[in-house]
Amino acid sequence: MTYSWILFASIALVFWGITGVTQKLATNRISSELSFLWFAYAMIAISLVLMLTVTMHWHVRPLIFWLALAGGTLNGLGALTSFTALESGGKASIVISLISLYPLLTVAFAVLVLHEKLTARQGVGIALAIVAAILLSLEPKAPEAQGERS
Amino acid sequence: MSSPLTQSEKRPVTTLAGMPRWLAFSLLTIVCWGAWGAVSKVASDGVDANTNQIFFTLGLLPLIALVMRSPRLRGGHQRSAGMAWAFVTGILGGTGNIAFFYALVVGGKASIVVPVTALFPLVTVTLAVSFLRERLSGSQKLGLLLALVAIYLLSMV
């Protein structure tokens, strides 16, 4: 299956894309905190399935272990704040597009801390990302308040 | 599948740091995920994707413990549906992660797989406009277009 990677990449693209809408459907009904909890429970379920079905390689350097752990915490914190952004009235189409610009910071980190060289392509990407973020955050009018949480 | 809601606001609009709450929390998400991307960049060479997923989940545990203390876990309407949608979010996100890594394992070039899959907001926007009836202003449409180009460029490896 030479091109089976296309199938897997398509699954990732579509599944990740759908999550923006399912996040919104969740926060239209329950708080961002409860949404995050059930999101995290799903992650635990997937990890349990992986542990039962795939060979794990536990022998990693302590530094790598702690970095991977910190990665989980940071990603989870981002998931929580993204649920809160959606719960606070952000449209799924805008919030998801805006937060997907996070590689902007990753590239900045790589340049400033890891001293990687900024390529011309990345430079253009950063400039476009900043303009895009400003345009995306411009609401046509202040969203009106509708119904408070019980 | 339940019918999607058309309302996008649930609370009175409040501001945080002089900007709408949704924008402030979106920017916070960029900071968190930007830091996650940086940490992953360093960590990913020393651990395989499956084991990384387990460590990743371990990293969620302190957050779960904190969030479980929130008084806002109560309340809401259609709670079962809300929790189900949140759970589906996690399952789709986690399965998407695994599919992404398999795309690389079975021979997909990172230089293609990473930037193409990073364009997933296009799927979100299509679904949000179709099913949630969200509308975008002209400047937001332009912003979306520029964001997709930016995401693609910044994701190229």
Coordinates of all heavy atoms in Angstrom, one line a residue, chain B residues 120-157:
Chain B
F120 N -6.2 21.4 9.0 CA -7.5 20.9 9.5 C -8.6 22.0 9.8 O -9.8 21.8 9.7 CB -7.3 20.0 10.7 CG -6.9 20.7 11.9 CD1 -7.8 21.3 12.8 CD2 -5.6 20.9 12.3 CE1 -7.4 21.9 14.0 CE2 -5.1 21.5 13.4 CZ -6.1 22.1 14.3
P121 N -8.1 23.3 10.1 CA -9.2 24.3 10.3 C -10.1 24.5 9.1 O -11.3 24.9 9.3 CB -8.4 25.6 10.6 CG -7.1 25.1 11.1 CD -6.8 23.8 10.4
L122 N -9.6 24.2 8.0 CA -10.5 24.3 6.8 C -11.7 23.4 6.9 O -12.8 23.7 6.6 CB -9.6 23.8 5.5 CG -10.1 24.2 4.2 CD1 -10.3 25.7 4.1 CD2 -9.1 23.8 3.1
V123 N -11.5 22.2 7.5 CA -12.6 21.2 7.7 C -13.5 21.8 8.8 O -14.7 21.8 8.6 CB -12.0 19.9 8.2 CG1 -13.2 18.9 8.5 CG2 -11.2 19.2 7.1
T124 N -12.9 22.4 9.8 CA -13.7 23.0 10.9 C -14.6 24.1 10.4 O -15.8 24.2 10.7 CB -12.8 23.5 12.0 OG1 -11.9 22.5 12.5 CG2 -13.6 24.0 13.2
V125 N -14.0 25.0 9.6 CA -14.7 26.1 9.1 C -15.9 25.7 8.2 O -17.0 26.1 8.3 CB -13.8 27.1 8.3 CG1 -14.6 28.2 7.6 CG2 -12.8 27.7 9.2
T126 N -15.6 24.7 7.3 CA -16.6 24.2 6.4 C -17.8 23.6 7.2 O -19.0 23.9 6.9 CB -16.0 23.0 5.5 OG1 -14.9 23.5 4.9 CG2 -17.0 22.6 4.5
L127 N -17.5 22.8 8.3 CA -18.5 22.2 9.1 C -19.3 23.3 9.9 O -20.5 23.2 10.1 CB -17.9 21.2 10.0 CG -17.4 19.9 9.3 CD1 -16.7 19.0 10.3 CD2 -18.5 19.2 8.6
A128 N -18.5 24.3 10.5 CA -19.1 25.3 11.3 C -20.1 26.2 10.5 O -21.1 26.5 11.0 CB -18.0 26.1 12.0
V129 N -19.7 26.5 9.3 CA -20.6 27.3 8.4 C -21.8 26.5 8.0 O -22.9 27.0 8.0 CB -19.8 27.8 7.2 CG1 -20.7 28.4 6.2 CG2 -18.7 28.8 7.6
S130 N -21.6 25.2 7.7 CA -22.7 24.3 7.2 C -23.6 24.0 8.3 O -24.8 24.1 8.2 CB -22.1 23.1 6.6 OG -21.1 23.3 5.7
F131 N -23.1 23.5 9.4 CA -23.9 22.9 10.5 C -24.2 23.8 11.6 O -25.3 23.8 12.2 CB -23.3 21.6 11.0 CG -23.2 20.5 10.0 CD1 -22.1 20.2 9.4 CD2 -24.4 19.8 9.6 CE1 -22.0 19.2 8.4 CE2 -24.4 18.9 8.6 CZ -23.2 18.5 8.0
L132 N -23.3 24.7 12.0 CA -23.5 25.6 13.1 C -24.1 26.9 12.6 O -24.4 27.8 13.4 CB -22.3 25.8 13.9 CG -21.6 24.6 14.6 CD1 -20.4 25.0 15.4 CD2 -22.6 23.9 15.5
R133 N -24.1 27.1 11.3 CA -24.6 28.3 10.7 C -23.8 29.5 11.1 O -24.4 30.6 11.3 CB -26.1 28.5 11.0 CG -27.0 27.3 10.8 CD -27.8 27.5 9.6 NE -28.8 26.4 9.5 CZ -28.6 25.2 8.9 NH1 -27.4 24.9 8.5 NH2 -29.6 24.3 8.9
E134 N -22.5 29.4 11.3 CA -21.7 30.5 11.6 C -21.4 31.3 10.4 O -21.3 30.8 9.2 CB -20.4 30.0 12.2 CG -20.5 29.4 13.6 CD -19.2 29.0 14.2 OE1 -18.1 29.2 13.5 OE2 -19.2 28.6 15.4
R135 N -21.4 32.6 10.6 CA -21.1 33.6 9.5 C -19.8 34.3 9.7 O -19.5 34.7 10.8 CB -22.2 34.6 9.4 CG -23.6 34.0 9.2 CD -24.1 34.2 7.8 NE -25.3 33.4 7.6 CZ -26.3 33.8 6.8 NH1 -26.2 35.0 6.3 NH2 -27.3 33.0 6.5
L136 N -19.0 34.5 8.7 CA -17.8 35.2 8.8 C -17.9 36.5 8.0 O -18.5 36.6 7.0 CB -16.6 34.4 8.2 CG -16.4 33.0 8.7 CD1 -15.2 32.3 8.0 CD2 -16.3 33.0 10.2
S137 N -17.2 37.5 8.6 CA -17.2 38.8 8.0 C -16.2 38.8 6.8 O -15.4 37.8 6.8 CB -16.8 39.9 9.0 OG -15.5 39.8 9.4
G138 N -16.2 39.8 6.0 CA -15.2 39.8 4.9 C -13.8 39.8 5.4 O -12.9 39.1 4.9
S139 N -13.5 40.6 6.4 CA -12.1 40.6 7.0 C -11.7 39.3 7.6 O -10.6 38.8 7.5 CB -11.9 41.8 8.0 OG -12.8 41.6 9.0
Q140 N -12.7 38.6 8.2 CA -12.4 37.3 8.8 C -12.2 36.2 7.7 O -11.3 35.4 7.9 CB -13.6 36.9 9.7 CG -13.6 37.6 11.0 CD -14.8 37.3 11.9 OE1 -15.9 37.0 11.3 NE2 -14.7 37.4 13.2
K141 N -12.9 36.4 6.6 CA -12.6 35.4 5.5 C -11.2 35.6 4.9 O -10.5 34.6 4.7 CB -13.7 35.7 4.3 CG -15.0 35.1 4.7 CD -16.0 35.4 3.5 CE -17.4 35.0 3.9 NZ -18.4 35.6 3.1
L142 N -10.8 36.9 4.8 CA -9.4 37.2 4.4 C -8.4 36.6 5.4 O -7.4 36.0 5.1 CB -9.3 38.7 4.2 CG -7.9 39.1 3.7 CD1 -7.5 38.5 2.4 CD2 -7.8 40.7 3.6
G143 N -8.8 36.9 6.7 CA -7.9 36.4 7.8 C -7.8 34.9 7.7 O -6.7 34.3 7.9
L144 N -8.9 34.2 7.4 CA -8.9 32.7 7.3 C -7.9 32.3 6.2 O -7.1 31.3 6.4 CB -10.3 32.2 7.1 CG -10.4 30.7 6.8 CD1 -10.0 29.9 8.0 CD2 -11.9 30.4 6.4
L145 N -8.1 32.9 5.1 CA -7.2 32.6 3.9 C -5.8 32.7 4.3 O -4.9 31.8 4.0 CB -7.6 33.4 2.7 CG -6.9 33.1 1.4 CD1 -7.4 31.8 0.9 CD2 -7.2 34.2 0.4
L146 N -5.4 33.9 4.8 CA -4.0 34.2 5.2 C -3.6 33.2 6.3 O -2.4 32.7 6.3 CB -3.9 35.6 5.7 CG -4.1 36.7 4.7 CD1 -3.9 38.1 5.4 CD2 -3.1 36.6 3.5
A147 N -4.5 32.8 7.2 CA -4.1 31.9 8.3 C -3.7 30.5 7.7 O -2.8 29.9 8.1 CB -5.2 31.7 9.3
L148 N -4.5 30.1 6.7 CA -4.3 28.8 6.1 C -2.9 28.8 5.4 O -2.1 27.8 5.5 CB -5.4 28.4 5.1 CG -6.7 28.1 5.8 CD1 -7.8 27.9 4.7 CD2 -6.6 26.9 6.6
V149 N -2.6 29.9 4.7 CA -1.3 30.0 4.0 C -0.2 30.0 5.1 O 0.8 29.3 5.0 CB -1.2 31.2 3.2 CG1 0.2 31.3 2.5 CG2 -2.3 31.2 2.1
A150 N -0.4 30.8 6.2 CA 0.6 30.9 7.2 C 0.8 29.5 7.9 O 2.0 29.1 8.2 CB 0.1 31.9 8.3
I151 N -0.3 28.8 8.2 CA -0.2 27.5 8.9 C 0.6 26.6 8.0 O 1.5 25.8 8.5 CB -1.6 27.0 9.2 CG1 -2.3 27.8 10.3 CG2 -1.5 25.5 9.6 CD1 -3.8 27.5 10.3
Y152 N 0.3 26.6 6.7 CA 1.0 25.7 5.8 C 2.5 26.0 5.8 O 3.4 25.1 5.9 CB 0.4 25.9 4.4 CG 0.9 24.8 3.4 CD1 0.3 23.6 3.4 CD2 2.0 25.1 2.6 CE1 0.8 22.6 2.5 CE2 2.5 24.1 1.7 CZ 1.9 22.9 1.7 OH 2.4 21.9 0.8
L153 N 2.8 27.3 5.7 CA 4.3 27.7 5.6 C 5.0 27.4 6.9 O 6.1 26.9 6.9 CB 4.4 29.2 5.3 CG 4.0 29.7 3.9 CD1 4.0 31.2 3.8 CD2 4.9 29.1 2.9
L154 N 4.3 27.7 8.0 CA 5.0 27.5 9.3 C 5.1 26.0 9.7 O 5.9 25.6 10.5 CB 4.3 28.2 10.4 CG 4.3 29.7 10.4 CD1 3.4 30.3 11.4 CD2 5.8 30.2 10.6
S155 N 4.3 25.1 9.1 CA 4.3 23.7 9.4 C 5.3 22.9 8.5 O 5.5 21.7 8.8 CB 2.9 23.1 9.3 OG 2.0 23.9 10.0
M156 N 5.8 23.5 7.5 CA 6.6 22.8 6.6 C 7.9 22.4 7.3 O 8.5 23.2 8.0 CB 7.0 23.7 5.3 CG 5.8 23.8 4.4 SD 6.1 25.0 3.1 CE 6.6 23.8 1.8
V157 N 8.3 21.2 7.1 CA 9.6 20.7 7.8 C 10.6 20.3 6.8 O 10.3 20.0 5.6 CB 9.3 19.5 8.7 CG1 8.5 20.0 9.9 CG2 8.5 18.4 8.0

